[in-house]
Amino acid sequence: MTDSTGTSYRDKVATIDNEGKRVWLYPKKPSGPLTRARGILSVFLLAFLFLAPFIEINGQQLLLFNILERRFVLFGLVFWPQDFYLFVLATIALVVFIVLFTVVFGRLWCGWACPQTIFMEMVFRKIEYLIEGDARRQIALNHAPWTTQKIIKKILKHSLFFAISFVIGNIFLAYIIGSEQLLIIISEPPSEHLVGFVSMILFSGVFYWVFAFFREQVCTMVCPYGRLQGVLLDPNSIVVIYDFKRGENRGKIEKNRKRDELGDCIDCHQCVDVCPTGIDIRDGTQLECINCTACIDACNAVMKKVNFPTGLIRYSSFNGIKLSQKLRFTPRIAGYSAVFVILFMLVSILMITRKTIDTTILRTPGVLYQETAEGFISNLYNIKIVNKTFEPRKIGLKLKSPEGRIKLVGGDLNLEPNSVTQSALFVELPKEKLRFVRTPLQIEIYSNQKKIDNISTSFIGPDLWRTPKKQ
Ligand code: SF4
Ligand code: SF4
């Protein structure tokens, strides 16, 4: 597409052809210092991802996101449904941090740390290069007739893809249901854990489909973070960018052609050939660019070969290239930083002051008061106590007001570490002391003899004004 000034713009998606069909990408195998650095980092990140569900802190899985039981563990700290407000605030703080980070450093996360990029580029793509060869060989193989060699290569590749997807699916499940539960599902017959077994196969199937077929479409079409780049990035954000001032006018190196009127880009297409999302970074910052740095390495290698300075494609901002500006602390960054600091402090304070023993006492629904032979009116209550500490606790209850007594149903309240305990109790008040149908109650909670909470609830009694008094 060309505008009135003659400037041309890309007006179609790199992975969709004119008929609207998917264009399969064959990115060239990247190499260079940045690709090596990403490879090393990915080894550590993959090790963490695979080991985290099997590491325990204080008897808890390092990271657990049990959505089914609404129980989350972050680095040994257990978050219960009662901590939901904390979870929401922490999530908002995280979103603000992501926005702030993206405004400053662009999609650094996508290129260096996102599991999708790491699995796709550092695991699945490498296996593909190993079995089918680099881009040209892959194209040739895919267009070749189905020979025995092609069939073996395809079966080998897809078997390995599914095996790795199966492992990823299992690890993913371990983050949701816990590694102990996962090991039980694996070690016992599938018929005893049908839901777990089906989930395992389902997750494996989804991961296989994503990495074998859907690939870069996750980043360019599905990922909400990717779709938000248009509003998050600004001309000061650091991104992988082509130095258009230095590179243009681009032109091939030709014998007997002076480069005086040409820039440093020799139009070799190497930066496009290695791109896993199929774009040309020379068109400017684009939604599809995951900042994987493959084009930086490719271009630097070319620059070295032709004795030009490296860095024609590099990490910089649009203003960094156009105005030679360094990274600036803009009002936008200041605003996001302020919001993040406030939220971070709020979450920290709430975390430090959060109750380690959370008690809820509610009158048992559907049960009215009872009158005892000793002349007391009694109400039945349900008690739920969450012990968020790593030690067992002995809980005591004391009726602070009004005068009366508490009788626990089922004996003492002994809490296991990091557990939820539910029980029932009767509160009994002398009938002659009751003045109203509804009497406010104050119950003190003691943990290991130390008062930790004060619970307010209400007590239902007879309507003594209407109940005829016995003569
Ligand atoms: S343009 Fe460069 S950094 Fe962006 S996705 Fe393509 S190769 Fe990676
Ligand atoms: S790799 Fe560098 S020199 Fe080659 S086309 Fe891309 S920007 Fe130009």
Side-chain angles (χ1 to χ4, degrees):
M1 189 176 81
T2 322
D3 73 4
S4 54
T5 65
T7 312
S8 63
Y9 297 96
R10 180 171 70 104
D11 60 354
K12 61 178 186 181
V13 180
T15 51
I16 300 175
D17 68 10
N18 291 337
E19 272 89 49
K21 288 194 187 129
R22 168 96 176 265
V23 175
W24 189 261
L25 296 178
Y26 295 94
K28 227 176 124 185
K29 190 177 174 185
S31 62
L34 287 169
T35 306
R36 268 198 302 283
R38 282 174 56 226
I40 294 167
L41 180 69
S42 65
V43 170
F44 287 103
L45 293 175
L46 284 172
F48 178 79
L49 194 83
F50 281 104
L51 294 177
F54 303 97
I55 298 173
E56 286 196 354
I57 294 185
N58 298 317
Q60 297 295 324
Q61 188 167 310
L62 188 70
L63 292 171
L64 178 76
F65 306 95
N66 194 333
I67 313 157
L68 310 171
E69 292 173 12
R70 289 176 296 153
R71 189 164 161 265
F72 302 91
V73 184
L74 296 178
F75 299 98
L77 274 182
V78 185
F79 292 86
W80 299 89
Q82 288 81 353
D83 299 318
F84 192 67
Y85 67 100
L86 249 179
F87 193 75
V88 171
L89 269 175
T91 308
I92 296 171
L94 182 72
V95 169
V96 175
F97 175 75
I98 291 171
V99 171
L100 173 64
F101 188 85
T102 312
V103 167
V104 182
F105 298 110
R107 294 178 81 170
L108 204 64
W109 157 264
C110 300
W112 291 78
C114 173
Q116 165 69 22
T117 310
I118 290 182
F119 278 122
M120 188 64 244
E121 303 306 325
M122 297 296 164
V123 180
F124 288 87
R125 194 90 72 185
K126 284 194 171 171
I127 292 172
E128 199 164 59
Y129 288 136
L130 205 70
I131 298 173
E132 297 186 352
D134 207 348
R136 277 188 189 192
R137 283 173 175 264
Q138 286 179 25
I139 297 170
L141 185 75
N142 281 359
H143 289 92
W146 282 95
T147 59
T148 317
Q149 197 196 25
K150 179 171 172 174
I151 293 170
I152 292 172
K153 281 187 176 182
K154 291 289 176 191
I155 290 177
L156 180 63
K157 182 180 96 170
H158 285 283
S159 308
L160 276 172
F161 275 13
F162 190 79
I164 296 168
S165 303
F166 185 72
V167 176
I168 299 172
N170 278 254
I171 294 295
F172 188 68
L173 207 56
Y175 277 101
I176 298 174
I177 60 169
S179 52
E180 275 180 26
Q181 190 59 29
L182 175 75
L183 293 175
I184 292 172
I185 295 176
I186 291 173
S187 55
E188 292 179 3
S191 55
E192 287 179 27
H193 304 279
L194 215 54
V195 177
F197 183 70
V198 170
S199 314
M200 208 182 253
I201 298 298
L202 211 69
F203 287 146
S204 308
V206 169
F207 283 119
Y208 169 69
W209 174 73
V210 164
F211 294 116
F213 305 105
F214 202 51
R215 303 193 155 192
E216 76 288 336
Q217 304 289 309
V218 173
C219 309
T220 58
M221 282 172 54
V222 180
C223 175
Y225 179 59
R227 310 290 307 179
L228 276 174
Q229 294 306 309
V231 287
L232 296 180
L233 298 179
D234 66 25
N236 294 302
S237 306
I238 303 289
V239 288
V240 172
I241 193 167
Y242 164 69
D243 187 341
F244 47 88
K245 266 169 66 183
R246 200 188 121 192
E248 299 299 312
N249 296 319
R250 68 187 77 158
K252 294 196 185 303
I253 293 183
E254 287 168 24
K255 265 188 189 170
N256 308 325
R257 185 183 182 188
K258 287 190 178 167
R259 289 202 68 85
D260 298 354
E261 75 275 18
L262 295 176
D264 280 356
C265 175
I266 62 165
D267 210 9
C268 63
H269 220 255
Q270 290 300 306
C271 50
V272 186
D273 293 347
V274 292
C275 181
T277 59
I279 56 167
D280 185 342
I281 191 68
R282 296 172 300 170
D283 290 339
T285 301
Q286 293 148 79
L287 175 88
E288 295 97 324
C289 177
I290 53 167
N291 279 220
C292 73
T293 72
C295 54
I296 300 184
D297 273 341
C299 187
N300 281 346
V302 173
M303 291 292 108
K304 278 182 194 159
K305 265 189 207 155
V306 295
N307 275 327
F308 287 172
T310 55
L312 182 57
I313 301 175
R314 60 179 185 271
Y315 275 118
S316 186
S317 65
F318 179 77
N319 282 344
I321 300 282
K322 195 174 179 202
L323 312 170
S324 303
Q325 263 179 9
K326 294 253 177 287
L327 177 63
R328 288 188 320 139
F329 193 68
T330 58
R332 193 178 178 209
I333 298 176
Y336 285 135
S337 303
V339 175
F340 174 68
V341 169
I342 292 168
L343 280 169
F344 182 76
M345 281 166 57
L346 186 65
V347 172
S348 305
I349 292 167
L350 288 172
M351 283 279 286
I352 293 164
T353 55
R354 103 181 156 136
K355 285 182 190 169
T356 50
I357 308 273
D358 216 78
T359 315
T360 315
I361 300 178
L362 293 172
R363 222 178 36 254
T364 308
V367 180
L368 271 178
Y369 64 87
Q370 288 175 332
E371 195 166 346
T372 69
E374 299 160 274
F376 281 83
I377 300 293
S378 95
N379 276 195
L380 181 62
Y381 294 83
N382 292 333
I383 180 167
K384 183 175 173 185
I385 313 173
V386 184
N387 179 10
K388 299 174 192 170
T389 71
F390 299 109
E391 301 101 38
R393 293 290 171 103
K394 185 174 166 56
I395 296 296
L397 305 177
K398 192 173 159 193
L399 189 58
K400 190 181 171 202
S401 74
E403 188 188 314
R405 62 194 187 196
I406 290 178
K407 280 186 181 171
L408 280 170
V409 179
D412 289 345
L413 285 169
N414 292 315
L415 314 182
E416 294 292 323
N418 263 311
S419 63
V420 183
T421 304
Q422 303 207 47
S423 186
L425 58 96
F426 284 104
V427 173
E428 296 182 347
L429 303 184
K431 186 177 178 184
E432 67 276 9
K433 295 277 169 81
L434 293 176
R435 291 283 169 271
F436 308 102
V437 175
R438 190 179 288 268
T439 307
L441 285 188
Q442 293 284 326
I443 301 173
E444 290 178 338
I445 314 293
Y446 289 80
S447 164
N448 296 356
Q449 317 288 333
K450 194 176 154 222
K451 186 181 158 192
I452 53 158
D453 207 351
N454 197 30
I455 303 284
S456 301
T457 182
S458 63
F459 184 94
I460 297 286
D463 187 349
L464 294 168
W465 297 105
R466 289 199 187 170
T467 313
K469 290 197 175 144
K470 286 182 187 165
Q471 297 299 311

